Amino acid sequence: MRRLPIPEDVTGEEIDKDVRQELQSLPKGLAEDVAKNLVMVARLIDEDPETAYAYSKVALRLASRVAAVREAGGFAAYANQKYSEALAEFRAARRMTGGVDLWPVMADCERGLGRPEKALEMAGAPEVHKLDKAGQVEMRLVAAGARRDMDQLDAAIVTLQSPELASNSVQPWTARLRYAYADALLAAGREGEAREWFAKAAEADKDGSTDASDRLAEMDGVEFVDAFDESEAEAEAEAEEDVASREAPAQAVEVAAVAEDSVDSQDSEADQDDDEADEDDHKD
């Protein structure tokens, strides 16, 4: 089996204790290998989803009967928009655990596969009532997205209207919920309300999980100048000035040399004229 390189700082101990407990059913050496690959999946899934997917495939080949491994494989496939594969992995993990935590992301896979009606059907299933608050909010976001997939903008807006949206308390899902609501309002042409909710989303978005601030600035007609590009331009201008300042003395020297040559030439001609005049005097 082809393995992928594991950095020396990865020990496998970084994974969640519940996952570590699941891996105890494996031989110790195998459990360590699987854990390290799962760490790499978690480490890379946002910045380099393709490589994270590759590590997840290694883990799946090593321990496909472990629910946490199937779940990691599902999220890695989901991050790479491999929705059919992701859905299969999530279903396998759910069969193993009997839990409902993956229900919203499974519904979103149905959306990714072009089946928004199926996602809405899942949003109305009994499993939703078993979800915790975060899961229920996530399901609401998926359902609203399915409505938008079906060009039902007003229904999407109504779907997002909830006690969680109206609450002033900031929870991990608050920024994303407000952002989705603002985006739906904007799509429906309700720009004034959309701006208000983009502002609320930006206020709640402490970790930059959305681009609410950029959307708000765009609506206000604010243009941002890239500080890096500006510094580059200044550096180029300074470099050009340095070149010009180095060339100027050289040009001055060159002009002076030409002038000196001209003077020498004139002096030489004058001396020659004087010599000719002396010869004429001797002849006379």
Side-chain angles (χ1 to χ4, degrees):
M1 178 189 299
R2 178 176 173 270
R3 302 294 183 91
L4 296 174
I6 303 291
E8 293 183 0
D9 66 320
V10 173
T11 66
E13 295 296 321
E14 300 88 344
I15 61 175
D16 185 82
K17 65 177 182 179
D18 292 334
V19 177
R20 202 159 53 239
Q21 188 173 356
E22 278 192 64
L23 295 178
Q24 287 179 357
S25 61
L26 302 174
K28 185 177 180 181
L30 180 58
E32 289 178 357
D33 285 347
V34 174
K36 289 178 181 180
N37 279 280
L38 292 181
V39 170
M40 295 306 297
V41 174
R43 178 179 289 189
L44 298 171
I45 196 165
D46 292 327
E47 297 179 1
D48 188 358
E50 288 187 10
T51 304
Y53 176 74
Y55 278 102
S56 76
K57 299 302 283 185
V58 174
L60 282 166
R61 287 196 296 270
L62 292 171
S64 61
R65 295 185 179 182
V66 176
V69 174
R70 302 302 289 266
E71 183 175 330
F75 278 111
Y78 179 82
N80 284 275
Q81 300 182 359
K82 299 178 183 290
Y83 298 117
S84 181
E85 183 178 339
L87 186 56
E89 297 297 345
F90 290 141
R91 283 173 174 167
R94 183 168 179 267
R95 282 195 302 270
M96 293 176 182
T97 64
V100 296
D101 293 349
L102 296 172
W103 195 254
V105 71
M106 288 169 63
D108 205 39
C109 285
E110 296 288 0
R111 282 187 61 211
L113 291 169
R115 300 194 291 250
E117 298 88 351
K118 178 63 176 176
L120 287 175
E121 181 184 330
M122 294 179 68
E127 284 82 355
V128 176
H129 300 294
K130 300 176 183 178
L131 294 168
D132 60 13
K133 183 63 68 176
Q136 290 179 4
V137 170
E138 195 65 36
M139 193 72 246
R140 191 177 292 277
L141 288 168
V142 173
R147 291 292 185 188
R148 291 191 62 172
D149 293 342
M150 300 166 68
D151 294 324
Q152 299 175 2
L153 287 176
D154 290 339
I157 291 171
V158 172
T159 299
L160 293 168
Q161 291 172 345
S162 62
E164 294 80 20
L165 179 68
S167 175
N168 290 324
S169 66
V170 175
Q171 303 294 335
W173 62 78
T174 301
R176 292 178 58 240
L177 183 59
R178 291 177 179 178
Y179 182 93
Y181 188 59
D183 196 45
L185 289 169
L186 186 61
R190 296 161 62 174
E191 294 187 6
E193 294 172 88
R195 190 202 175 284
E196 176 187 351
W197 282 97
F198 274 129
K200 290 182 178 181
E203 181 182 356
D205 193 1
K206 304 302 182 184
D207 59 356
S209 61
T210 73
D211 63 346
S213 296
D214 293 341
R215 297 291 297 276
L216 184 63
E218 182 181 346
M219 292 189 73
D220 290 343
V222 177
E223 293 186 8
F224 292 99
V225 177
D226 193 320
F228 181 74
D229 291 343
E230 187 176 352
S231 63
E232 273 191 341
E234 291 177 356
E236 289 179 2
E238 290 177 0
E240 290 176 359
E241 289 178 2
D242 289 343
V243 170
S245 63
R246 287 196 299 270
E247 288 179 349
Q251 291 172 351
V253 170
E254 184 177 350
V255 170
V258 170
E260 186 176 350
D261 290 344
S262 176
V263 171
D264 291 345
S265 175
Q266 291 174 0
D267 290 343
S268 177
E269 290 177 359
D271 291 341
Q272 185 176 356
D273 290 341
D274 290 342
D275 291 342
E276 290 178 353
D278 290 340
E279 288 180 3
D280 291 339
D281 290 340
H282 288 308
K283 288 177 182 179
D284 291 341

